[in-house]
Amino acid sequence: MDRVTVLDGGFATQLSVHVGKHIDGDPLWSARFNATNPNAVFKTHLDFLEAGAECIMTNTYQASIEGYMEYLDLSEAGSLQLIKATVKLAQMARTKYMADNDVRRVPLVVASIGPYGAHLHDGSEYTGEYADYVSMETIQKWHRARIDACLEAGVDVLGIETIPCQMEAEAMLDMMTEEYPHVRFWISFQCKDSTHIAHDENFADTASYLWNKAKLQGNGNLVAIGVNCVHPQFVTPLFRSVNEKRPTQERIPLIVYPNSGEVYSVDSGWQGKEDCVPLEHYVEQWVELGARFIGGCCRTYARDIERIKQTVNTLQL
């Protein structure tokens, strides 16, 4: 089998171990702690590295100039500086981990590039409804400042994640091809069921369209397409729809980091933990369908990543 890279887990979930606070519902989510408790952010990265993660994602999903200006009263320059400092926390954790362990492969620092809808704090990152009235140019302009800050601070890959609509994914692909031709990246979608991304486009059609467009553009830096922040039960049918009928050599490399399977509501929080199937039970079928990057999202802890890592290691023996 092709090599599988293990990602980290739900950053805010593991961060809660260190800060002992309810993070969900904050308009800045875990990104507030980049300013208020950077040591906890550092420790969270270290938790995932020690659990076996080979990629750690910066705590920048919910970080934006607008959000930091509004909720932390920072200037535009101060907001960008905080984003850069956040990247440095991941780098420091990697340096610490490598100094303390015999490491064969240097872990990657991946910039978390969340969707345009995340900064709106209206739930539209889970519907993609802004695709109906926001232009591609507006989306690109909003993303550009954060991407530039992360690249200046020194990341290895961009994780363009939780994208709810084809329009935003295509805008990002075009921007990466034209403006960042030497930067590796992945695109992962938020999906509402086992067939469709959040804005109702067909996932398989969207993935194939983007992969083919990247090849036509000559962009070899798109390392994978996939899903994150989805129910794990959706993943296998989504991946089947993309790769099951493709010849092995033509399969799209896939990425997956789902939720635990718990369901969140504003009124009652996370529910259904007792019904969740541990993520490592899905790993073999995802790998068989072309998954090359596997980790976790909301409600997955470092201990979950450790079990995923053990499963991947067993499969690769």
Side-chain angles (χ1 to χ4, degrees):
M1 59 177 272
D2 290 337
R3 194 179 189 286
V4 175
T5 298
V6 176
L7 309 174
D8 59 8
F11 196 88
T13 301
Q14 186 64 28
L15 178 67
S16 67
V17 171
H18 297 288
V19 300
K21 293 182 179 180
H22 186 69
I23 298 172
D24 298 308
D26 188 314
L28 291 179
W29 201 32
S30 61
R32 180 179 298 277
F33 293 88
N34 297 330
T36 61
N37 195 341
N39 190 49
V41 173
F42 166 83
K43 287 180 178 178
T44 301
H45 285 308
L46 202 55
D47 289 344
F48 285 126
L49 289 167
E50 291 172 345
E54 299 163 284
C55 288
I56 53 171
M57 298 191 74
T58 59
N59 188 31
T60 50
Y61 176 89
Q62 200 91 346
S64 68
I65 295 170
E66 297 92 336
Y68 279 155
M69 290 176 72
E70 180 172 358
Y71 297 108
L72 288 182
D73 200 27
L74 295 177
S75 64
E76 180 175 345
S79 299
L80 290 171
Q81 190 56 44
L82 182 53
I83 290 172
K84 293 177 184 178
T86 301
V87 173
K88 298 297 183 186
L89 293 172
Q91 293 170 342
M92 289 165 57
R94 175 173 65 180
T95 299
K96 167 71 172 167
Y97 173 72
M98 291 179 66
D100 293 346
N101 295 273
D102 180 18
V103 178
R104 295 181 183 178
R105 298 177 75 244
V106 177
L108 299 175
V109 171
V110 181
S112 171
I113 307 296
Y116 178 85
H119 89 284
L120 301 176
H121 197 55
D122 61 359
S124 60
E125 65 197 285
Y126 297 104
T127 65
E129 62 183 29
Y130 53 87
D132 301 328
Y133 60 85
V134 177
S135 70
M136 278 186 155
E137 292 74 21
T138 297
I139 295 259
Q140 290 171 337
K141 181 180 179 182
W142 182 82
H143 278 290
R144 191 175 288 116
R146 178 174 51 174
I147 287 174
D148 286 344
C150 288
L151 290 173
E152 286 173 23
V155 296
D156 302 303
V157 183
L158 299 185
I160 299 169
E161 59 175 346
T162 330
I163 301 300
C165 50
Q166 179 174 325
M167 182 275 277
E168 184 167 14
E170 188 169 6
M172 296 301 284
L173 173 61
D174 289 348
M175 185 169 74
M176 294 304 297
T177 301
E178 295 164 13
E179 301 179 31
Y180 306 95
H182 305 298
V183 177
R184 292 179 295 167
F185 65 102
W186 70 63
I187 298 175
S188 62
F189 288 95
Q190 159 64 215
C191 293
K192 66 179 184 179
D193 56 31
S194 60
T195 306
H196 303 91
I197 61 178
H199 192 246
D200 211 34
E201 296 93 342
N202 180 277
F203 172 73
D205 291 345
T206 301
S208 296
Y209 171 76
L210 291 170
W211 188 252
N212 291 336
K213 183 171 186 176
K215 288 199 294 186
L216 286 171
Q217 292 174 333
N219 191 333
N221 291 321
L222 177 57
V223 299
I225 296 176
V227 297
N228 76 289
C229 206
V230 300
H231 195 292
Q233 290 181 352
F234 294 160
V235 177
T236 297
L238 286 165
F239 281 7
R240 276 204 188 106
S241 69
V242 174
N243 272 342
E244 192 168 47
K245 296 180 180 179
R246 288 176 178 264
T248 302
Q249 67 274 17
E250 294 180 16
R251 284 186 160 191
I252 296 174
L254 298 173
I255 183 167
V256 52
Y257 44 117
N259 296 335
S260 64
E262 295 166 72
V263 177
Y264 180 76
S265 74
V266 175
D267 296 329
S268 54
W270 291 97
Q271 300 292 321
K273 185 173 180 61
E274 63 280 358
D275 300 321
C276 293
V277 176
L279 292 184
E280 65 270 17
H281 289 221
Y282 297 96
V283 166
E284 185 171 4
Q285 57 191 269
W286 294 344
V287 170
E288 289 175 354
L289 289 167
R292 297 295 167 259
F293 301 85
I294 301 177
C297 202
C298 297
R299 301 297 289 171
T300 62
Y301 291 85
R303 60 179 179 265
D304 297 297
I305 299 306
E306 186 173 8
R307 292 196 294 265
I308 289 172
K309 177 75 168 184
Q310 290 168 350
T311 304
V312 167
N313 286 345
T314 300
L315 291 174
Q316 293 184 148
L317 288 177

